[in-house]
C-alpha cells in the first residue's frame, strides 16, 4: 500500500515539487492581500497621502500578478501529476489483470475491478495534488503567523491559537451531524437506484403488465428517500449555521483584542484591519489541512485496494519448456482430477473431431478449465504432443490451443474487429455471415460493449466465428449454439468439420446436432469417462447418453 | 431501425413544468427566500461594526468603548447562524420536495412509454436520463441550490450594503463587473462542450475497462492483451488530456477573476481615499467598504463556478421534461375473441422492408403452439405483435384478454426476492409466492438463499444464475396470471442444462393458458400441441409434432438434423 502511494508520488516528483513551490508562493500572496489592504488604509487613506496610496496600490498589483500566476501554474503542475499518476496505476492494473497466468479477477467482480482502475487509481493519483496543497497551506500559515507576530505577539497568538481551535470546535460539533448526514445520503441515493433498475427492467415489466405496480412502488421509495434527504439537509443546514456563528464569534474576539491593542497605541489601525483580514484568511489553509487529511485517508484505502489486486496470486505458474514445433495437435489426459473430475484418461488424435457430452455441466467446466489452463489439475497431467501443459508458457500455449467458452465475451467495435478480420469461411461456417447481413453496416456494423446490441443467438454465432477464424491447431468449444435456432444450428454442424479439417477440435456440448458430426463422442458422467463411440451408436446403446442429449 | 432519441423539452416548456411543480410549495419558497434574506442581511452588519471599532479607536475613545460593538458582533454571529440554519433547511426542503415530485412524474411517464418508442431511442437513452440526468439535478439541488442561494444573496446584499455606506463605493466596486461578466460568459461557452467531451471520454474509458476486465478470459484466450492494453491506454490518455484541458480552463478562469478582484479592490480603496480626504466618509467607513469588497471574493467565485452546474442541471431538466411531456399513448384497441385470431397480418419496422407477409393463424383457447424457424424468419415479430408490443402495419389480431410475455431479456429487480415477484401481483400472499416458485421448480433454491424470499437480489444483491433469473420471470408470469402467454426464446440465455430445467418450468407456466412459444430447442416444440414453422415472414407448415415429423416436410428434416439421427438422406437445409 505504502509502495503504491510512494510510487504514485515519486513518479511525478518534478511536477509535485513545482506545484508545491508555486502553491506556497500563491499562499504567501493571498496573505499579503489583507495585509496590504491594512497598509493602504493606514498609510494612504488615514494619512491622506496620495503618493503612498499609489505606491501601495502598485505593490498590491504586483502581488496579484504573482499570486495569480503562481496559482495557475502550480495547480496545473499538481493536477498533471495527479492525472498522470492515476493513468500509470490504471495501466499497471490492466496489465496485471491480463497477465497470462491470471488470478487477479479471482473473487472480484468486473465492475469492482473497473472501479479500482478508475476511481481508486484516480484517488491515489490525487494524493499528489493533496501533497502539493498541504505544503502550500503550511507555507500560507507560516507566512501569516510571521506577519501577525510581527504586528503584535499577543494578537498574533490569539489568532494563531484561535483559528485551529475554531476549526476543531466546528469539527467536533459537526461530527455527529456528518455521520447522520452520510447515512441519510446513502438512503437518498437508493431512490435513483430503484428508478434506474425499473427502467432497465422495462421490457420485463411490460411483459407482465406490471407498470402500475412499479409506479406505485417507486412512489413509496421516492417518499422514503425524500424524508431521509430532508433529515440530511437539516443536519447540513445546522452544520453550516454553526460554522457561520462560530466564525463570527471568533472575529468578534479578534476585534476585541485588536481594538484594545490599537486603542492603547500598541498597534496601528491598519494593523488591526490586517489582523482581522488574516484571521479570516487563516480559515482557508486550515480547512485545506482537514480536507487533505480526508483525501489521504481515501488515498490510503484506495492504494490498499490497488496493492491487493497487484499482489493477487497467479492462478497458474508459467512453465519454461519449449513449444513443440510444428504442433501436431494431439492431446492426452492422464488421470486428471480437478474439482469434479476424478481421474480422467483421454487421448485425442491430431485432426480428430471429438465430442464431449457431460451429464453434469460442472464436469464440462472443470475439463475446460484444465484444457485452457485457467487452472492446473490437482493431480494428473494434460499433454499437448507429449509435453505437459503445466511446463509450457501459458501465453505461448494459447497461440496453439484455444478454449472458446460458452459465455465468451464480444467487445465493442465492428463485427470485423470482433472476428479478427474478414475470414469469410469462418463467418459462413458459424452462421455469422447472416448476422453481418442483419447488421446495418454489415461486417463493419457496430457491436456494442460485450455484444449487448446483438441477440443471444447472434452473439454466439459471432463468438464461434471468432474461434474458428483464430485457426488454432487445437480448438475446444463449449456449448456454442445454445441460443441459436434449430435451423441455423443444423447448418453450423454441417459446416464445422470442413472448416476445421486436419486440425484438432473438441466439442464440449450436449447438442445432438453438433455431437452427430464428431468422429467420436465421450460421455462424461460422475467425473469419469463412462463410454466412447460415435453419436449414433451412443444414442442406441447408452441410456444415460440419450437422457443427457436428447431429453 | 433508425435511432430516434426521446424528445427534449424546449426552454419555455421546461420552465412551465418547473413552475407547475413549484406552485404547490409557493409558501415554502417565499418563506425560505425571506429567511435567507434576513440571515444574509444580519451577516452584513459585521463589516460596519468592525468599521465602528476602527472609528472608536481612531477617535481616541477609551478601550472599554469597543466592548459594545464587539458584543453586537457576537449577537450578529449567533443570530446569523440561527437564521442561516433555518433558511438553508427551508431552501433544501423546497428543492428536494420538487425534485422528488419531478422524478416520480418522470418514472410514471417512463413506465408508460410505448416499448416501441423506447427501443427506437435505444435502451441507453431512457436509462441515461433516469440515472445521469436525475443524479445531476439531485446533486445540483443538494449542493448548488443552497450555495447559490447563499452566494447570490451575499453578493446582491453586499453590493446593497456598499451602496448604503455610500453609493460611490458601489460604483467603484462595479468596475469589476464587466470583467467578471465577460469571464463568466467565456467560461460557460468553453466549459459546456469541454465537459460534455469529458463525460463522453470518461464513459468510453469506463466502457473499455469493463470490456477488457470483464472479458479478460477471452482476451487471454485469443492473445488480444496488447490490443486491449493499447485501447485502454488510448482511452485513458484521452480522458486524462481532457481533464487537464478542463483544469487549464478553470485556472485561466480564476486568473481572469483575479484581474477583476484587483481592479475592484483598487477602485474601492481609491474611492475610500478620496472620500476620507473630502470628509465624505470616515476611515471606519472606508475600512468597512474595503472589507465588504474583500468578502465578496468568495461568494462571487462560488456563484460563477456554479453557473456551469446550473447550466448542466438545466439541460438535464429539459431531457426529463421531454419525457414527462409525452402524451399518454392511446390504449391498444384490439378486437376481443374467445381465441387468438390473426388474419392477413403484415409488418415492416422500416417502410418498404416487410418482415411478415399475410400471416393467418388461429390459436384455440388453451392450445400450446410452438413457433419454429431460422433467425430472421419473423418468429419474434409475430410473437411481439400478438403480445401487443407493436401495432401491425396491416391485418388484425383478436385476443381473448391480457397477454403476458417472457423473453430472453432478463432482469432481476433490485430488492428482496419477494418484492420482485410481487411486482406481478402486489397483493400476493407469501403462500401465493411459494406456490408460483414451486410450479417453476424454484422454491428449493429460493429457500436456501441466505434469507429465503427476503434475500436481496438484483444489482448489488445476491447473484442468481441465468436459469434462476428466468425461473423468476416465469413465476412472475404465473402470478400475473394472464389468459394468454407468449414466450420468446425464454431458454436462450441459459446453458443446455438450464434449458431443460426451463423447458419443464415453461410447461407448468403455460398450463391452463393459451400459449405461443418461440422455441429453438426442438424438444420444446415436441412437447406442444402444435408446431408452426415460419420462413421468410410466412407460415410454411403447421401441425402436431408427430404428424409433421412423419410428413417428410421441412420440420421433419429439421428434426433429423437437430437430433443427429438420420432416417432420410435428403438435405434438411435446402
Amino acid at each position: 500500500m505504502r509502495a503504491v502511494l510512494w510510487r504514485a508520488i515519486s513518479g511525478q516528483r518534478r511536477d509535485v515539487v513545482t506545484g508545491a513551490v508555486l502553491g506556497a508562493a500563491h499562499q504567501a500572496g493571498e496573505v499579503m492581500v489583507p495585509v496590504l489592504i491594512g497598509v493602504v488604509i493606514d498609510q494612504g487613506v488615514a494619512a491622506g497621502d496620495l503618493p503612498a496610496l499609489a505606491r501601495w496600490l502598485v505593490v498590491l498589483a504586483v502581488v496579484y500578478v504573482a499570486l495569480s500566476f503562481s496559482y495557475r501554474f502550480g495547480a496545473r503542475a499538481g493536477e498533471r501529476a495527479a492525472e498522470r499518476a492515476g493513468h500509470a496505476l490504471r495501466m499497471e492494473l490492466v496489465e496485471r489483470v491480463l497477465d497470462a497466468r491470471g488470478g487477479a479477477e479471482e473473487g472480484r467482480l468486473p465492475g469492482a475491478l473497473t472501479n479500482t482502475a478508475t476511481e481508486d487509481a484516480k484517488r491515489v493519483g490525487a494524493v499528489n495534488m493533496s501533497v502539493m496543497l498541504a505544503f502550500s497551506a503550511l507555507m500560507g500559515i507560516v507566512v501569516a503567523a510571521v506577519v501577525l507576530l510581527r504586528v503584535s505577539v499577543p494578537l498574533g497568538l490569539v489568532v494563531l491559537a484561535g483559528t485551529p481551535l475554531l476549526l476543531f470546535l466546528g469539527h467536533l460539533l459537526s461530527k455527529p451531524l456528518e455521520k447522520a448526514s452520510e447515512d441519510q445520503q446513502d438512503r437518498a441515493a437508493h431512490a435513483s437506484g430503484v428508478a434506474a433498475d425499473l427502467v432497465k427492467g422495462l421490457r420485463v415489466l411490460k411483459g407482465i403488465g406490471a407498470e402500475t405496480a412499479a409506479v406505485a412502488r417507486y412512489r413509496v421509495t421516492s417518499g422514503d428517500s425524500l424524508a431521509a434527504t430532508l433529515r440530511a439537509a437539516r443536519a447540513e443546514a445546522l452544520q453550516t449555521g454553526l460554522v457561520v456563528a462560530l466564525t463570527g464569534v471568533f472575529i468578534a474576539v479578534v476585534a476585541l483584542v485588536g481594538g484594545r491593542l490599537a486603542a492603547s497605541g500598541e498597534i496601528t489601525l491598519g494593523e488591526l484591519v490586517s489582523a482581522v483580514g488574516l484571521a479570516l484568511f487563516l480559515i482557508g489553509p486550515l480547512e485545506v489541512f482537514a480536507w487533505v487529511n480526508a483525501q489521504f485517508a481515501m488515498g490510503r484505502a484506495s492504494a490498499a485496494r490497488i496493492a491487493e489486486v497487484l499482489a493477487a496470486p497467479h492462478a497458474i505458474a508459467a512453465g519454461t519448456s519449449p513449444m513443440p514445433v510444428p504442433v501436431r495437435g494431439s492431446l492426452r489426459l492422464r488421470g486428471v482430477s480437478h474439482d469434479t473430475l476424478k481421474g480422467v484418461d483421454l487421448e485425442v488424435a491430431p485432426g480428430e473431431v471429438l465430442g464431449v457430452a457431460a451429464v453434469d455441466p460442472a464436469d464440462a467446466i472443470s475439463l475446460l478449465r484444465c484444457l485452457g489452463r485457467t487452472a492446473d489439475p490437482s493431480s494428473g497431467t494434460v499433454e499437448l504432443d507429449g509435453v505437459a501443459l503445466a511446463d509450457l508458457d501459458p501465453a505461448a500455449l494459447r497461440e496453439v490451443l484455444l478454449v472458446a467458452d460458452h459465455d465468451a465475451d464480444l467487445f465493442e467495435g465492428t463485427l470485423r474487429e470482433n472476428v479478427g478480420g474478414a475470414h469469410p469461411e469462418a463467418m459462413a461456417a458459424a452462421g455469422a455471415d447472416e448476422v453481418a447481413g442483419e447488421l446495418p453496416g454489415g461486417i463493419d456494423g457496430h457491436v456494442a460493449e460485450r455484444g449487448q446490441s446483438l441477440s443471444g443467438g447472434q452473439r454466439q454465432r459471432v463468438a464461434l466465428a471468432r474461434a474458428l477464424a483464430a485457426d488454432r491447431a487445437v480448438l475446444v468449444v463449449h456449448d456454442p449454439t445454445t441460443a441459436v435456432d434449430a435451423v441455423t444450428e443444423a447448418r453450423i454442424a454441417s459446416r464445422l468439420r470442413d472448416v476445421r479439417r486436419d486440425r484438432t477440435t473438441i466439442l464440449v456440448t450436449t447438442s445432438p446436432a453438433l455431437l452427430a458430426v464428431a468422429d467420436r463422442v465421450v460421455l462424461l458422467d460422475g467425473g469419469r469417462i463412462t463410454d466412447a463411440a460415435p453419436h449414433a451408436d451412443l444414442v442406441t446403446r447408452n441410456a444415460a447418453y440419450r437422457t443427457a442429449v436428447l431429453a | 431501425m433508425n435511432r430516434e432519441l426521446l424528445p427534449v423539452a424546449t426552454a419555455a416548456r421546461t420552465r412551465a413544468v418547473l413552475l407547475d411543480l413549484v406552485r404547490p410549495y409557493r409558501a415554502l419558497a417565499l418563506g425560505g427566500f425571506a429567511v435567507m434574506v434576513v440571515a444574509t442581511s444580519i451577516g452584513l452588519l459585521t463589516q460596519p461594526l468592525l468599521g465602528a471599532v476602527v472609528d472608536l479607536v481612531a477617535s481616541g475613545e477609551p478601550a472599554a468603548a469597543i466592548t459594545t460593538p464587539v458584543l453586537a458582533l457576537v449577537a450578529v454571529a449567533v443570530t446569523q447562524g440561527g437564521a442561516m440554519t433555518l433558511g438553508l433547511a427551508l431552501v433544501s426542503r423546497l428543492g428536494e420536495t420538487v425534485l422528488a415530485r419531478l422524478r416520480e412524474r418522470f418514472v410514471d411517464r417512463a413506465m408508460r412509454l410505448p416499448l416501441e418508442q423506447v427501443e427506437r431511442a435505444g435502451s441507453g437513452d431512457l436509462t441515461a436520463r433516469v440515472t445521469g440526468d436525475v443524479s445531476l439535478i439531485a446533486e445540483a439541488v443538494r449542493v448548488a441550490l443552497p450555495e447559490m442561494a447563499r452566494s447570490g444573496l451575499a453578493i446582491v446584499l453586499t453590493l446593497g450594503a456598499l451602496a448604503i455606506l455610500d453609493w460611490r463605493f458601489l460604483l467603484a466596486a462595479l468596475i469589476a463587473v464587466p470583467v467578471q461578466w465577460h469571464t463568466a460568459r467565456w467560461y460557460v461557452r468553453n466549459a459546456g462542450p469541454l465537459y460534455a467531451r469529458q463525460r463522453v471520454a470518461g464513459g468510453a474509458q469506463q466502457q473499455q475497462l469493463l470490456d477488457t476486465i470483464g472479458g479478460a478470459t477471452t482476451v487471454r484466450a485469443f492473445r488480444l492483451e496488447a490490443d486491449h492494453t493499447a485501447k485502454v491506454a488510448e482511452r485513458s490518455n484521452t480522458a486524462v488530456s481532457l481533464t487537464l484541458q478542463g483544469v487549464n480552463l478553470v485556472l485561466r478562469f480564476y486568473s481572469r477573476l483575479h484581474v477583476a478582484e484587483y481592479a475592484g479592490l483598487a477602485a474601492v480603496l481609491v474611492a475610500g481615499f478620496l472620500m476620507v480626504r473630502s470628509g465624505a466618509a470616515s476611515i471606519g467607513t472606508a475600512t468597512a467598504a474595503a472589507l465588504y469588497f474583500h468578502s465578496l471574493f468568495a461568494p462571487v467565485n462560488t456563484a460563477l463556478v456554479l453557473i456551469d452546474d446550473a447550466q448542466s442541471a438545466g439541460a438535464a431538466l429539459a431531457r426529463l421534461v421531454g419525457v414527462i411531456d409525452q402524451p399518454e399513448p392511446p390504449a391498444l384497441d384490439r378486437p376481443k375473441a374467445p381465441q387468438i385470431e390473426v388474419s392477413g397480418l403484415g409488418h415492416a419496422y422500416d417502410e418498404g422492408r416487410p418482415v411478415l407477409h399475410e400471416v393467418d393463424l388461429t390459436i384455440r383457447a388453451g392450445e400450446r403452439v410452438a413457433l419454429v424457424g431460422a433467425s430472421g424468419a419473423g418468429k419474434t415479430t409475430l410473437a411481439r405483435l400478438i403480445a401487443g408490443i407493436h401495432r401491425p402495419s396491416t391485418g388484425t389480431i383478436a385476443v381473448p384478454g391480457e397477454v403476458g410475455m417472457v423473453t430472453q431479456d432478463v432482469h432481476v429487480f433490485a430488492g428482496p426476492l419477494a418484492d420482485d415477484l410481487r411486482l406481478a401481483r402486489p397483493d400476493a400472499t407469501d403462500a401465493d409466492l411459494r406456490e408460483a416458485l414451486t410450479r417453476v421448480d424454484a422454491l428449493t433454491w429460493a429457500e436456501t438463499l441466505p434469507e429465503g424470499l427476503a434475500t436481496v437480489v438484483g444489482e448489488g444483491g445476491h447473484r442468481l444464475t441465468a436459469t434462476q433469473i428466468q425461473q423468476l420471470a416465469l413465476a412472475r408470469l404465473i402470478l400475473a396470471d394472464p389468459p394468454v402467454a407468449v414466450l420468446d426464446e425464454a431458454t436462450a440465455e441459459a446453458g443446455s442444462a438450464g434449458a431443460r430445467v426451463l423447458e419443464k418450468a415453461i410447461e407448468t407456466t403455460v398450463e391452463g393458458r393459451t400459449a405461443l412459444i418461440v422455441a429453438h430447442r426442438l424438444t420444446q416444440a415436441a412437447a406442444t400441441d402444435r408446431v408452426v414453422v415460419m420462413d421468410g415472414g410466412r407460415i410454411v407448415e403447421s401441425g402436431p409434432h408427430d404428424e409433421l415429423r412423419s410428413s417428410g416436410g421441412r420440420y421433419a428434416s429439421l428434426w433429423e438434423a437437430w437430433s443427429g439421427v438420420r432416417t432420410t438422406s435428403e438435405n434438411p437445409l435446402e
Side-chain angles (χ1 to χ4, degrees):
Chain A
M1 186 263 283
R2 266 168 212 285
V4 169
L5 269 180
W6 178 242
R7 252 200 338 266
I9 297 170
S10 61
Q12 312 295 329
R13 58 185 163 270
R14 251 186 58 187
D15 272 337
V16 176
V17 171
T18 312
V21 170
L22 288 176
H26 164 246
Q27 285 291 326
E30 291 282 1
V31 173
M32 292 318 288
V33 172
V35 173
L36 285 173
I37 291 177
V39 173
V40 169
I41 298 251
D42 223 14
Q43 307 200 0
V45 178
D49 182 347
L50 185 58
L53 176 79
R55 208 164 43 242
W56 285 113
L57 283 182
V58 169
V59 172
L60 187 60
V62 171
V63 166
Y64 253 100
V65 169
L67 78 85
S68 182
F69 275 95
S70 52
Y71 176 65
R72 184 162 153 191
F73 293 105
R76 183 192 284 184
E79 295 280 8
R80 192 166 49 215
E83 287 294 323
R84 285 191 180 157
H87 173 80
L89 286 171
R90 195 167 300 131
M91 296 317 297
E92 216 178 313
L93 281 165
V94 167
E95 275 163 27
R96 171 62 194 91
V97 169
L98 294 183
D99 188 297
R101 289 162 292 176
E105 316 106 283
E106 208 58 51
R108 295 184 180 87
L109 295 175
L113 268 175
T114 299
N115 229 15
T116 299
T118 50
E119 294 310 311
D120 287 331
K122 207 180 180 79
R123 272 193 212 118
V124 174
V127 165
N128 279 310
M129 191 67 191
S130 304
V131 168
M132 175 210 137
L133 286 175
F135 181 74
S136 320
L138 185 65
M139 289 322 284
I141 292 169
V142 169
V143 174
V146 169
V147 171
L148 272 170
L149 290 173
R150 278 177 58 108
V151 167
S152 150
V153 174
L155 185 59
L157 289 179
V158 166
V159 173
L160 289 177
T163 326
L165 182 70
L166 168 72
L167 283 167
F168 177 69
L169 274 179
H171 178 70
L172 219 59
L173 285 169
S174 62
K175 194 82 190 172
L177 295 176
E178 259 170 35
K179 182 83 194 67
S181 163
E182 272 167 28
D183 294 347
Q184 310 287 19
Q185 289 299 347
D186 287 346
R187 287 184 52 190
H190 186 58
S192 58
V194 170
D197 191 51
L198 290 175
V199 166
K200 274 191 204 146
L202 189 59
R203 288 176 198 225
V204 175
L205 289 172
K206 292 213 172 252
I208 51 168
E211 298 98 319
T212 311
V215 168
R217 174 169 304 174
Y218 183 66
R219 264 181 212 288
V220 174
T221 310
S222 171
D224 287 351
S225 173
L226 174 61
T229 314
L230 288 181
R231 278 194 294 277
R234 276 198 296 272
E236 263 173 44
L238 182 55
Q239 189 183 332
T240 311
L242 280 172
V243 170
V244 165
L246 278 174
T247 312
V249 170
F250 174 59
I251 296 297
V253 171
V254 174
L256 181 68
V257 177
R260 282 177 166 269
L261 287 170
S264 64
E266 280 177 49
I267 61 172
T268 67
L269 270 183
E271 284 167 342
L272 170 61
V273 175
S274 305
V276 172
L278 282 175
L280 285 170
F281 162 81
L282 272 177
I283 294 171
L286 284 165
E287 273 178 348
V288 167
F289 269 128
W291 180 83
V292 162
N293 214 7
Q295 290 290 304
F296 265 121
M298 287 204 290
R300 271 196 300 274
S302 288
R305 277 192 288 273
I306 290 175
E308 203 184 300
V309 175
L310 292 180
H314 293 126
I316 51 162
T320 49
S321 293
M323 212 54 183
V325 184
V327 178
R328 291 166 52 240
S330 72
L331 278 178
R332 179 187 291 160
L333 279 74
R334 283 201 242 216
V336 169
S337 294
H338 184 68
D339 285 345
T340 58
L341 296 183
K342 296 181 192 115
V344 170
D345 291 304
L346 177 65
E347 294 221 20
V348 190
E352 183 179 5
V353 176
L354 175 78
V356 177
V359 173
D360 180 357
D363 286 349
I365 290 180
S366 305
L367 179 69
L368 289 160
R369 285 173 65 88
C370 292
L371 290 176
R373 283 206 77 196
T374 10
D376 283 327
S378 43
S379 72
T381 55
V382 183
E383 290 171 7
L384 171 74
D385 293 351
V387 185
L389 295 191
D391 293 339
L392 294 168
D393 172 40
L397 171 67
R398 288 183 189 123
E399 288 184 2
V400 296
L401 184 153
L402 170 65
V403 174
D405 283 323
H406 163 61
D407 53 357
D409 301 287
L410 298 185
F411 300 111
E412 198 200 353
T414 64
L415 192 52
R416 187 197 300 273
E417 284 165 2
N418 266 289
V419 176
H423 302 289
E425 200 195 358
M427 292 279 289
D433 49 347
E434 285 176 13
V435 179
E438 288 154 15
L439 278 191
I443 193 170
D444 290 310
H446 185 75
V447 175
E449 68 273 7
R450 324 210 69 187
Q452 278 165 353
S453 57
L454 304 178
S455 74
Q458 289 177 320
R459 268 203 299 276
Q460 276 197 330
R461 283 179 280 165
V462 175
L464 181 60
R466 174 176 62 185
L468 295 175
D471 201 24
R472 301 286 198 251
V474 181
L475 172 65
V476 185
V477 279
H478 181 212
D479 273 343
T481 54
T482 48
V484 174
D485 64 85
V487 178
T488 311
E489 186 181 34
R491 196 176 305 154
I492 291 171
S494 72
R495 292 177 184 169
L496 203 58
R497 289 192 66 94
D498 203 32
V499 74
R500 288 292 301 168
R501 64 187 165 267
D502 302 332
R503 284 182 304 289
T504 312
T505 310
I506 302 179
L507 306 166
V508 181
T509 180
T510 53
S511 154
L514 290 176
L515 292 170
V517 302
D519 295 316
R520 185 166 62 110
V521 178
V522 297
L523 177 65
L524 201 51
D525 193 357
R528 294 169 206 281
I529 289 174
T530 55
D531 204 349
H535 171 71
D537 296 352
L538 284 180
V539 167
T540 40
R541 82 173 186 214
N542 193 318
Y545 183 75
R546 264 199 308 279
T547 322
V549 169
L550 285 179
Chain B
M1 258 188 274
N2 291 322
R3 273 286 166 93
E4 191 184 307
L5 291 182
L6 295 167
V8 175
T10 61
R13 207 36 225 154
T14 308
R15 251 192 321 274
V17 169
L18 194 60
L19 279 178
D20 191 41
L21 283 166
V22 173
R23 196 159 299 128
Y25 309 102
R26 252 176 316 194
L28 182 59
L30 283 176
F33 183 71
V35 176
M36 284 301 287
V37 168
V38 170
T40 314
S41 307
I42 294 173
L44 290 174
L45 294 172
T46 307
Q47 286 85 348
L49 285 171
L50 286 172
V53 172
V54 171
D55 278 344
L56 286 174
V57 173
S59 59
E61 296 280 331
I66 62 171
T67 313
T68 318
V70 165
L71 284 179
L73 276 173
V74 172
V76 161
V78 173
T79 343
Q80 189 199 5
M84 191 64 86
T85 303
L86 182 60
L88 286 176
L90 290 175
V91 168
S92 299
R93 179 177 203 95
L94 173 73
E96 298 289 352
T97 312
V98 169
L99 171 69
R101 298 295 163 259
L102 177 76
R103 65 182 179 220
E104 284 161 21
R105 274 173 74 169
F106 179 83
V107 168
D108 186 294
R109 186 49 77 231
M111 289 290 123
R112 293 179 211 287
L113 284 177
L115 204 49
E116 223 174 338
Q117 193 183 3
V118 176
E119 284 176 356
R120 253 200 323 272
S123 60
D125 191 12
L126 195 59
T127 310
R129 290 184 198 215
V130 80
T131 52
D133 290 337
V134 169
S135 68
L136 204 69
I137 298 175
E139 189 62 12
V141 166
R142 194 176 72 80
V143 182
L145 182 71
E147 283 274 326
M148 200 71 159
R150 253 181 99 181
S151 313
L153 280 174
I155 295 167
V156 171
L157 295 176
T158 306
L159 290 176
L162 268 176
I164 291 173
L165 288 181
D166 194 300
W167 61 271
R168 283 163 288 194
F169 283 126
L170 175 64
L171 216 59
L174 289 181
I175 282 182
V177 171
V179 183
Q180 284 161 339
W181 171 254
H182 182 260
T183 303
R185 284 185 47 127
W186 167 84
Y187 176 68
V188 167
R189 203 171 48 238
N190 289 289
L194 182 60
Y195 289 153
R197 282 168 61 203
Q198 268 182 24
R199 276 193 294 276
V200 171
Q205 175 190 288
Q206 176 96 357
Q207 206 48 72
Q208 184 60 51
L209 281 165
L210 267 177
D211 244 19
T212 299
I213 293 174
T217 314
T218 309
V219 171
R220 283 192 291 260
F222 285 88
R223 301 288 289 121
L224 300 171
E225 295 96 333
D227 180 40
H228 274 257
T229 310
K231 274 187 185 160
V232 171
E234 186 204 312
R235 296 208 170 168
S236 171
N237 271 324
T238 309
V240 164
S241 101
L242 283 171
T243 305
L244 290 180
Q245 276 182 44
V247 166
N248 247 331
L249 186 72
V250 172
L251 292 175
R252 281 166 67 196
F253 172 67
Y254 280 123
S255 279
R256 292 178 184 211
L257 287 184
H258 281 141
V259 173
E261 274 178 19
Y262 175 74
L265 186 57
V268 169
L269 287 169
V270 169
F273 173 82
L274 294 174
M275 285 158 67
V276 169
R277 197 165 65 167
S278 69
S282 70
I283 301 174
T285 311
T287 306
L291 290 179
Y292 267 145
F293 193 80
H294 190 234
S295 72
L296 267 179
F297 293 178
V300 165
N301 287 358
T302 308
L304 289 177
V305 170
L306 287 177
I307 289 177
D308 191 53
D309 287 2
Q311 256 208 339
S312 11
L317 192 60
R319 281 191 291 270
L320 294 191
V321 172
V323 171
I324 288 176
D325 259 358
Q326 284 295 290
E328 181 98 34
L332 197 61
D333 184 21
R334 304 203 285 189
K336 273 216 152 195
Q339 53 187 9
I340 298 178
E341 285 167 16
V342 175
S343 63
L345 195 68
H347 193 69
Y349 292 105
D350 298 318
E351 207 142 330
R353 290 180 60 188
V355 290
L356 279 190
H357 311 271
E358 290 293 315
V359 171
D360 295 308
L361 176 67
T362 303
I363 306 178
R364 293 187 314 276
E367 190 184 15
R368 292 166 303 161
V369 170
L371 264 188
V372 174
S375 5
K379 295 170 301 187
T380 293
T381 305
L382 179 57
R384 288 167 69 105
L385 285 169
I386 290 176
I389 287 169
H390 302 295
R391 280 153 209 276
S393 309
T394 57
T396 57
I397 302 169
V399 287
E402 293 266 317
V403 183
M405 182 167 185
V406 172
T407 67
Q408 55 177 298
D409 297 307
V410 290
H411 186 80
V412 184
F413 294 95
L417 183 66
D419 285 5
D420 175 297
L421 293 172
R422 282 206 176 90
L423 278 169
R425 198 200 300 167
D427 59 353
T429 62
D430 282 356
D432 293 336
L433 302 185
R434 275 167 211 286
E435 199 212 311
L437 287 172
T438 311
R439 282 178 61 187
V440 297
D441 200 17
L443 189 64
T444 322
W445 63 254
E447 286 193 322
T448 55
L449 290 176
E451 285 162 70
L453 297 193
T455 306
V456 172
V457 291
E459 200 161 316
H462 191 90
R463 279 160 65 89
L464 302 177
T465 66
T467 310
Q468 292 174 332
I469 292 172
Q470 207 55 299
Q471 282 174 312
L472 280 189
L474 293 171
R476 277 189 224 113
L477 189 71
I478 290 174
L479 287 164
D481 200 20
V484 180
V486 174
L487 295 133
D488 185 6
E489 307 217 334
T491 63
E493 294 288 324
S496 49
R500 237 163 274 145
V501 174
L502 287 177
E503 278 164 24
K504 248 181 259 158
I506 287 173
E507 266 178 56
T508 56
T509 302
V510 300
E511 239 164 59
R513 291 175 229 288
T514 310
L516 181 69
I517 301 165
V518 179
H520 67 266
R521 272 176 54 96
L522 295 187
T523 43
Q524 205 183 353
T528 57
D529 300 323
R530 182 154 57 106
V531 178
V532 169
V533 185
M534 290 189 74
D535 189 31
R538 290 190 168 79
I539 292 179
V540 291
E541 254 175 50
S542 170
H545 168 78
D546 290 333
E547 203 174 283
L548 288 185
R549 222 187 121 185
S550 55
S551 71
R554 202 181 283 254
Y555 183 76
S557 33
L558 195 58
W559 175 263
E560 279 159 18
W562 183 80
S563 62
V565 188
R566 244 159 236 228
T567 50
T568 57
S569 59
E570 75 185 276
N571 190 334
L573 306 165
E574 310 308 328

